[in-house]
Every structure is written in structure tokens, then in C-alpha cells.
Amino acid sequence: TQIPPNIKREAPNILVTGTPGVGKSTLCTKLAELTGLQWLEISKIAKDYNCLEEYDEQYQCPVLDEDKLLDGLEEVMCKGGNIVDYHSNEFFPERWFDVVFVLRADNTTLYDRLTTRGYTGKKLEDNIQCEIFQTILEEAKSSYKENIVHELYSRTPEELQDNINRICTWLQLWFQDNQS
Ligand code: DAT
């Protein structure tokens, strides 16, 4: 089917998701440098747009005003050319993304990274469990077409480089396939 021109994006939107500490910002920083795509760090943008509401004591993090955040991002997402970085993914409109990468790490690696970050107690345990049960991967698979969801391990610098190469290759193909 023909896609109306106003829906066609000039460049793709990429979603990078995964448990906190799996390496999203590390990957996205490098990708943005290499590709010129815009890195949208959702937790930071939520703060800047005043989309954070009262503090959730149980999960030790602020509650996100999702509707306000989505409204604020709609225009930039329609243009395309964004790398969206967030630990959750189901509340974004499915139509925003051309591809979804779910970053993964093993428990010990993630444990070390999160303790270094200062996570302790329930917050630490919840995040480790989240990774063990592949919660974010399952969330992505049930929110987006399975053939656009890719799982990428990011435990070592070598894996980071492999992932960057893979995403850059994907991007080149997208531009080849979507030349106007
Ligand atoms: P996130 O944005 O998913 O919370 P991050 O990018 O801040 O994660 O990474 C957490 C820590 O792990 C940080 O100190 C950098 C390190 N790291 C990330 N990816 C890595 C990789 N592939 N190899 C080694 N260290 C990595």
C-alpha cells in the first residue's frame, strides 16, 4: 500500500530500550555522533518538559505524565531522524518507530553497573529481576511487530562496537530502501 507523503519520514526513528544499566546511553551517544541522528534521552526530556509528577515511594522514582510527554514529542517524531532512549517502551505510539533494539546484559554485569551507580535494596533487586525475566524484551515484542524488534547484548566494549556496526548497517539499508 502507498504511504501518504505526509506520513513518510525523512529519516527513521530508532527505539533503544532495556533495563536501566544495560548500556542505552553509552550506545546512543556513540550512535548520535556517528550518524547525526538526534538522541532523545526520555528521562531527561521528561524532566525538561515538566512531565514528572509525584515521587513513587515503592519504585523510588518519579511518576511520568505520559500523555504530556507524548504530545510534546509528536512533532519531532513525525519528522524522523531520532534515537529514542528509554527503559520502558509500551506507551509510545507504535507508528513512531521503524526499528526497536532491546539491549541486554547478564546479571553479574548489570549488578556491578547498578551498584556502581549507587542502586541498593529493592531498587537494585527489581532491576536485576527485570533483566532476568527479560521484562523489557517481552514488553517490546508485545508492543511492536516482532520482526522489527532486535535483542542486542551489550556486556563488553566489543559487543558495543558490534551493535554500533549493526545499527549503522541497518540505517544504510533503510536509506537505500526509502530513497525518494
Ligand atoms: P543505561 O543508559 O542503559 O542506563 P549506561 O549507558 O549508562 O546504561 O551504562 C551503564 C554503565 O555500563 C556505564 O558505566 C557504561 C557501562 N557500559 C555500557 N555499555 C557497556 C559495554 N557494552 N561494555 C562495557 N561497559 C558498558
Side-chain angles (χ1 to χ4, degrees):
T1 52
Q2 187 91 36
I3 302 171
N6 60 332
I7 291 180
K8 201 173 162 193
R9 291 188 270 268
E10 288 163 20
N13 289 320
I14 298 174
L15 175 59
V16 175
T17 187
T19 312
V22 286
K24 298 181 296 297
S25 25
T26 307
L27 176 79
C28 291
T29 313
K30 295 236 161 95
L31 267 182
E33 271 171 28
L34 279 170
T35 63
L37 298 185
Q38 179 171 221
W39 171 30
L40 300 180
E41 196 180 5
I42 296 300
S43 22
K44 187 173 173 292
I45 289 171
K47 248 184 240 161
D48 297 347
Y49 287 9
N50 278 322
C51 297
L52 297 179
E53 293 169 334
E54 81 278 21
Y55 199 77
D56 185 311
E57 286 303 329
Q58 191 188 355
Y59 293 103
Q60 295 182 34
C61 63
V63 178
L64 180 65
D65 182 342
E66 294 174 356
D67 291 340
K68 189 173 176 189
L69 178 80
L70 298 181
D71 284 350
L73 287 171
E74 178 66 28
E75 199 178 324
V76 76
M77 291 304 292
C78 283
K79 279 202 188 108
N82 302 291
I83 309 170
V84 171
D85 161 2
Y86 198 51
H87 57 259
S88 176
N89 55 67
E90 71 188 348
F91 68 93
F92 296 119
E94 189 185 350
R95 64 186 160 80
W96 274 7
F97 298 106
D98 300 280
V99 71
V100 178
F101 294 103
V102 183
L103 298 194
R104 303 295 312 276
D106 59 77
N107 316 335
T108 38
T109 306
L110 191 63
Y111 186 93
D112 290 345
R113 289 183 190 168
L114 292 178
T115 44
T116 305
R117 195 180 271 185
Y119 282 25
T120 53
K122 180 165 165 52
K123 188 166 183 173
L124 177 61
E125 277 167 38
D126 283 353
N127 281 298
I128 299 292
Q129 285 228 359
C130 175
E131 190 58 15
I132 292 173
F133 291 121
Q134 14 188 87
T135 310
I136 311 300
L137 179 64
E138 298 303 330
E139 184 187 335
K141 282 183 178 172
S142 62
S143 308
Y144 302 91
K145 292 201 182 72
E146 277 214 37
N147 64 341
I148 71 156
V149 176
H150 306 279
E151 184 182 15
L152 297 178
Y153 273 87
S154 192
R155 295 162 292 199
T156 60
E158 291 73 30
E159 285 182 336
L160 173 64
Q161 191 55 52
D162 288 347
N163 296 338
I164 288 168
N165 295 344
R166 204 171 143 189
I167 297 172
C168 286
T169 304
W170 178 89
L171 198 59
Q172 280 173 351
L173 288 174
W174 190 94
F175 281 114
Q176 274 174 30
D177 292 346
N178 290 274
Q179 271 168 354
S180 44

